Amino acid sequence: MKKTLYKSIFLLIALLLLVGCNQTIEESASDNTSKKEDATSDSTPGKDAVISGAVVAAPIDNARVDAYVDGAWIPVGITKKGHIHFSDMEKITTYPVILRANKNGTGQNSKNYDDFKAELRGIMMSKDDIAYLTPVTTLAAKIFELNGSSVDAANEAKRKVTSLVQHTLGFQDIDPFADPLGDGLLKHEVLQQTFMVVLNLGNETDHSAMLSFSKGIDKCAISMQNNTFLGAAKQSNAMLTKSIAEYLTTQLANIQSRVCILLYDKDKNPDEREKERVQFSKTIHEIMTSELRNDEIPECFILTKILEGSDAFEQLTPEVATPQQTNVIPLTFKVSLLSNADNLSGITEESTKLPVPTFAGGFKISAVPEKGTLNEGQLVSSNEDQKITAGDKTYANGTEFSFFFDCKTSPIDSKHYITFTAVDNPAVTYTITFKVKAQDTVAIKSVTSTGAPKLFIFDEGSHITIHKDSVATIADQQLVASVTPAYGTVTSEDMSDAVMIQFKAPEGFAFRGDNITRTTMILSVMPTAVDDSFTFAIPNTFDIIAIEDSPIGEKVIPIEVLDQKTGNRLAQTSTPVYFVPASSVGRVASISITKEPLADITYNRDVADTDIVLEPFILSCELKTWYDVAEVPKDQQPSSPMTQIPSLWKLRFDHDPTEDKGFKDANGIYNNEVDIERYASSLAVNPIKFEFHDFTSFGGSDCRLTVKPFSASDTISLYFTYTDDPENEQVATGSIILREQL
């Protein structure tokens, strides 16, 4: 999809930024002309409106702002030219509160009136707080939600995100929760684009990518509960194979281009704009090269159980239920402190073995229970002479402990704590909470999702959208919660009397059965005993119905274990699922660049400003249908599951087109992209291979690519689409790095 430079500028400005004000919260049904009039109007908001905060990448008008109050989203304001205008602050009755902007996708860039499709979120601490909503604060809002939405949870979420911005991403002088407008706009834009590139969240010009923006943020936040930001990012970005610092050295030109386009002034003439671009590029390069120092600091603790005769990985939960008795079996565990340069799977053999931490930092024990004995090492009986007390002693990363908890005289429901604190960063802590329960109480250790398959096939929809009222039948054992008790001998009857299971439908969907449609499904039934756990399954007499048009693809169904008497949450988990219409289930859902090319494509520095004929190479990529993405076993898939493959393929520099850089065609014209269907050895074989060789000696053509690089290190991505929908481009996982030979 070829665009002129200036059309690209206009489009990207519109999609990158979100900010604004207006006195009403009603959704406009006006046409484009009236929208332009509204966007350029300087009318004063109503007298009840409070201007406070911003929704940012650049100014966006007409983005509705909602607050999450008492379990529901309530409209409280609207945006215009960079500021949130609150007109219903009295509706927010509790703080901290999550704010979201642009859920309904009505936001428009105030300069060119193009649509902005991403939903951004932030945390508002009090009625006097100034809330800023950016891609980075959206991650903080999700962490806050996952951790219980308390004041402590808000502060911890903000601390985590500030640390990853200043140390992991390297923007040491930026407060991500400060005003991103004014003099700090350029630095904040560099930060936001860097953050989005690391998480592979797509470009704001790609409307379909922005519709999945929230899903990408949610996935990162959930992963960060048991991993570092680097570990979470690697799950979303296949190109992030090493450290974030190393990866960003290959993305400088990409980030610079994205930010430059964002901040262009469209009202200037081409000469002025080019001058502005050069100045922006210089300043952004200075920001990137001076800021990204990436200090290694503690980020999180991972505690794992040590099981007799086994080195299997089993993570210790923060809350441990224990019966009111003198425990003779110790809790033996290993304390691992991960830095922001660590990835959990990298030190645990893909989470199958006990961690072997590499970070040199140590930790202290800042709290221990009065009841019981904490010893260092793996012991079978307590050693009172070497009982550990809270203090300043530093323990090496990876130290093992045994805890003998004597809670026979402790009150029921009393709590006792062991807290570990990182020496180099006291804000990084981990607390094990021991909660005393009656011996005959059914205490819950954990809940996991064991249902399969994860693919839900709806009866109506397109390759983009599941239509409203479309239905997917829930198969037997497809949505299952497996609950494990903490201790004691528990029967199915005991478990049924003690707990009920709640499944929450993804946003835009509901469960339907017994002539009732509901967004939550509560099971209060007799579970099935399986080994040491109990399973609760939604019956196959229920289905899932779309209550609004929704994008196809990955969704999340939260699962909670609730106390049968009080309704309090005892444990929680979630399961990723895939919602796809029947007509699209055999369509290619994802493409990954595989083993070829084997390494970066390099060239000599002395030819950097000339046309370079690249050495021959093969581009190999694997195609996956929705069956594959949802991990449906091959023997449960149709004999020919792939019913349609992409027909249009492009290689594209992550840089906007110029007149003298990029791919050079036979007519001497440069472009940032090249069509490559003709280079495919076969479009009917998986994996597909594109061969860029010189075939002249065999009577063929010279199919090598000629390029003039944009920078010393360029990223080239693979895009694909279909003849029946050429505008809906998707990008393959992985990329080609073209760089100067060092």
Side-chain angles (χ1 to χ4, degrees):
M1 185 167 49
K2 301 178 180 178
K3 296 183 176 71
T4 65
L5 174 61
Y6 301 122
K7 287 183 178 178
S8 299
I9 292 168
F10 296 164
L11 183 58
L12 282 169
I13 290 175
L15 294 174
L16 278 167
L17 297 172
L18 208 331
V19 201
C21 64
N22 201 328
Q23 71 269 33
T24 67
I25 58 174
E26 295 180 2
E27 298 180 24
S28 173
S30 59
D31 59 19
N32 289 336
T33 302
S34 62
K35 287 180 180 178
K36 292 181 181 181
E37 291 172 352
D38 292 341
T40 55
S41 171
D42 292 323
S43 59
T44 304
K47 63 181 180 181
D48 60 331
V50 178
I51 304 174
S52 180
V55 187
V56 176
I60 291 285
D61 290 306
N62 201 37
R64 196 182 72 201
V65 178
D66 308 313
Y68 194 66
V69 180
D70 295 331
W73 289 103
I74 300 174
V76 294
I78 202 163
T79 66
K80 184 179 179 183
K81 295 184 179 178
H83 301 282
I84 303 171
H85 280 233
F86 289 102
S87 55
D88 290 284
M89 288 285 288
E90 71 281 357
K91 292 181 179 179
I92 305 177
T93 55
T94 57
Y95 293 91
V97 65
I98 296 177
L99 300 181
R100 74 177 182 188
N102 204 43
K103 170 61 180 177
N104 56 359
T106 59
Q108 293 180 311
N109 185 278
S110 62
K111 294 185 178 181
N112 62 11
Y113 321 115
D114 203 352
D115 295 334
F116 180 87
K117 294 299 183 183
E119 174 190 327
L120 301 180
R121 297 191 180 191
I123 305 170
M124 192 172 191
M125 298 296 294
S126 70
K127 66 178 181 179
D128 299 319
D129 187 26
I130 300 177
Y132 300 108
L133 281 63
T134 68
V136 168
T137 67
T138 303
L139 176 61
K142 185 61 180 181
I143 294 173
F144 163 67
E145 177 189 348
L146 291 172
N147 290 343
S149 302
S150 64
V151 173
D152 288 343
N155 289 329
E156 173 63 10
K158 295 176 79 170
R159 181 202 66 78
K160 265 192 170 185
V161 169
T162 299
S163 179
L164 77 85
V165 164
Q166 296 180 345
H167 301 288
T168 308
L169 297 180
F171 294 91
Q172 300 183 4
D173 299 327
I174 294 182
D175 176 359
F177 300 96
D179 186 355
L181 300 175
D183 294 339
L185 176 61
L186 184 57
K187 272 194 173 184
H188 272 276
E189 291 308 331
V190 175
L191 163 62
Q192 303 303 331
Q193 295 308 307
T194 300
F195 173 75
M196 294 182 68
V197 165
V198 168
L199 286 182
N200 195 28
L201 293 175
N203 198 307
E204 289 82 350
T205 57
D206 184 344
H207 287 192
S208 62
M210 290 301 95
L211 290 172
S212 300
F213 174 86
S214 295
K215 182 177 70 177
I217 291 290
D218 290 354
K219 182 178 180 180
C220 176
I222 291 169
S223 179
M224 285 178 66
Q225 290 186 296
N226 300 304
N227 207 340
T228 60
F229 175 71
L230 171 62
K234 284 189 172 184
Q235 294 182 17
S236 300
N237 189 348
M239 295 182 287
L240 183 57
T241 57
K242 298 179 182 179
S243 71
I244 288 177
E246 290 176 289
Y247 174 66
L248 286 176
T249 61
T250 70
Q251 297 296 312
L252 295 180
N254 179 23
I255 295 168
Q256 179 175 302
S257 174
R258 290 168 67 138
V259 177
C260 277
I261 293 171
L262 166 66
L263 298 179
Y264 283 146
D265 186 344
K266 74 178 183 68
D267 294 325
K268 292 183 178 180
N269 63 46
D271 290 340
E272 291 175 322
R273 188 178 300 166
E274 176 60 18
K275 182 178 179 181
E276 186 178 51
R277 186 193 67 80
V278 171
Q279 182 57 50
F280 277 151
S281 297
K282 179 181 178 182
T283 305
I284 294 166
H285 180 76
E286 291 173 353
I287 292 172
M288 295 291 292
T289 54
S290 64
E291 291 281 357
L292 302 177
R293 293 187 289 271
N294 296 83
D295 298 332
E296 186 174 9
I297 65 165
E299 182 172 333
C300 67
F301 282 98
I302 299 294
L303 272 63
T304 44
K305 281 188 177 182
I306 298 176
L307 307 174
E308 185 177 358
S310 171
D311 64 350
F313 180 92
E314 181 179 341
Q315 196 159 334
L316 185 64
T317 56
E319 187 169 293
V320 178
T322 184
Q324 192 186 46
Q325 64 183 30
T326 301
N327 292 338
V328 294
I329 301 176
L331 174 65
T332 306
F333 57 94
K334 183 174 187 175
V335 178
S336 301
L337 180 59
L338 276 62
S339 80
N340 57 336
D342 284 325
N343 173 19
L344 179 60
S345 64
I347 62 172
T348 64
E349 295 187 21
E350 298 299 327
S351 297
T352 61
K353 302 289 186 181
L354 285 171
V356 182
T358 58
F359 179 51
F363 60 89
K364 298 178 181 180
I365 298 176
S366 48
V368 294
E370 293 182 3
K371 306 281 187 178
T373 301
L374 179 66
N375 290 139
E376 188 174 344
Q378 298 184 39
L379 304 181
V380 295
S381 60
S382 62
N383 186 334
E384 292 297 321
D385 294 336
Q386 296 183 13
K387 181 177 181 178
I388 293 174
T389 58
D392 292 330
K393 179 180 176 180
T394 297
Y395 294 86
N397 196 359
T399 298
E400 298 172 351
F401 297 92
S402 298
F403 180 56
F404 303 83
F405 191 19
D406 183 359
C407 58
K408 188 172 184 178
T409 60
S410 298
I412 300 297
D413 291 331
S414 62
K415 295 182 179 181
H416 308 262
Y417 310 95
I418 302 177
T419 299
F420 304 92
T421 302
V423 171
D424 297 335
N425 186 357
V428 177
T429 64
Y430 189 97
T431 297
I432 309 174
T433 301
F434 296 89
K435 189 171 183 179
V436 179
K437 310 293 291 186
Q439 292 190 48
D440 58 352
T441 297
V442 177
I444 303 305
K445 174 185 175 182
S446 63
V447 57
T448 57
S449 172
T450 56
K454 297 184 182 298
L455 180 64
F456 290 78
I457 301 177
F458 285 76
D459 57 1
E460 294 182 12
S462 68
H463 59 279
I464 301 174
T465 304
I466 294 174
H467 295 160
K468 182 181 178 181
D469 297 327
S470 180
V471 174
T473 300
I474 299 174
D476 189 40
Q477 298 296 305
Q478 192 169 15
L479 283 177
V480 181
S482 180
V483 181
T484 303
Y487 57 79
T489 301
V490 179
T491 66
S492 294
E493 291 80 2
D494 295 334
M495 186 63 72
S496 176
D497 291 340
V499 304
M500 50 190 174
I501 308 300
Q502 177 174 272
F503 295 83
K504 292 183 179 179
E507 189 168 1
F509 295 86
F511 298 107
R512 188 179 67 174
D514 296 333
N515 297 317
I516 300 174
T517 299
R518 68 208 90 176
T519 56
T520 60
M521 178 79 176
I522 295 180
L523 296 181
S524 181
V525 297
M526 187 75 68
T528 301
V530 180
D531 297 327
D532 60 348
S533 299
F534 298 85
T535 62
F536 295 77
I538 293 182
N540 59 12
T541 55
F542 284 78
D543 52 35
I544 298 177
I545 183 170
I547 55 178
E548 61 185 47
D549 285 355
S550 299
I552 73 170
E554 184 180 357
K555 312 291 180 182
V556 174
I557 296 181
I559 303 172
E560 296 181 346
V561 182
L562 306 178
D563 186 284
Q564 186 72 257
K565 296 179 181 178
T566 66
N568 293 335
R569 186 174 65 195
L570 304 176
Q572 64 178 331
T573 188
S574 62
T575 179
V577 293
Y578 299 86
F579 288 4
V580 184
S583 59
S584 297
V585 70
R587 199 178 177 101
V588 171
S590 76
I591 294 178
S592 301
I593 295 176
T594 53
K595 63 180 181 179
E596 298 171 288
L598 298 176
D600 295 351
I601 299 175
T602 60
Y603 54 88
N604 292 327
R605 182 172 298 177
D606 56 1
V607 299
D609 289 328
T610 65
D611 294 337
I612 303 169
V613 179
L614 299 182
E615 292 294 321
F617 70 96
I618 296 176
L619 177 64
S620 176
C621 53
E622 181 184 9
L623 282 61
K624 290 185 177 181
T625 67
W626 286 109
Y627 293 107
D628 300 319
V629 172
E631 299 178 348
V632 176
K634 292 294 185 182
D635 61 358
Q636 297 177 24
Q637 297 185 20
S639 56
S640 300
M642 193 174 298
T643 58
Q644 187 177 6
I645 64 173
S647 52
L648 304 177
W649 301 79
K650 297 176 185 290
L651 285 178
R652 182 180 299 154
F653 280 93
D654 286 353
H655 200 290
D656 283 289
T658 65
E659 294 181 355
D660 61 349
K661 297 283 172 55
F663 296 104
K664 185 179 180 181
D665 66 17
N667 298 317
I669 298 173
Y670 294 92
N671 204 315
N672 68 333
E673 64 184 23
V674 59
D675 296 327
I676 62 170
E677 300 90 44
R678 63 185 182 276
Y679 301 110
S681 54
S682 172
L683 286 176
V685 177
N686 190 15
I688 288 178
K689 291 186 178 182
F690 300 89
E691 299 191 37
F692 302 95
H693 287 274
D694 183 357
F695 296 103
T696 54
S697 60
F698 301 98
S701 302
D702 186 350
C703 295
R704 293 174 297 173
L705 298 176
T706 301
V707 302
K708 184 181 287 186
F710 287 93
S711 67
S713 180
D714 289 317
T715 299
I716 301 174
S717 299
L718 175 65
Y719 289 81
F720 61 95
T721 187
Y722 295 83
T723 304
D724 61 356
D725 188 17
E727 297 300 316
N728 186 37
E729 281 191 327
Q730 295 175 263
V731 62
T733 301
S735 63
I736 300 170
I737 303 299
L738 177 66
R739 62 176 176 82
E740 292 180 357
Q741 182 69 54
L742 300 178

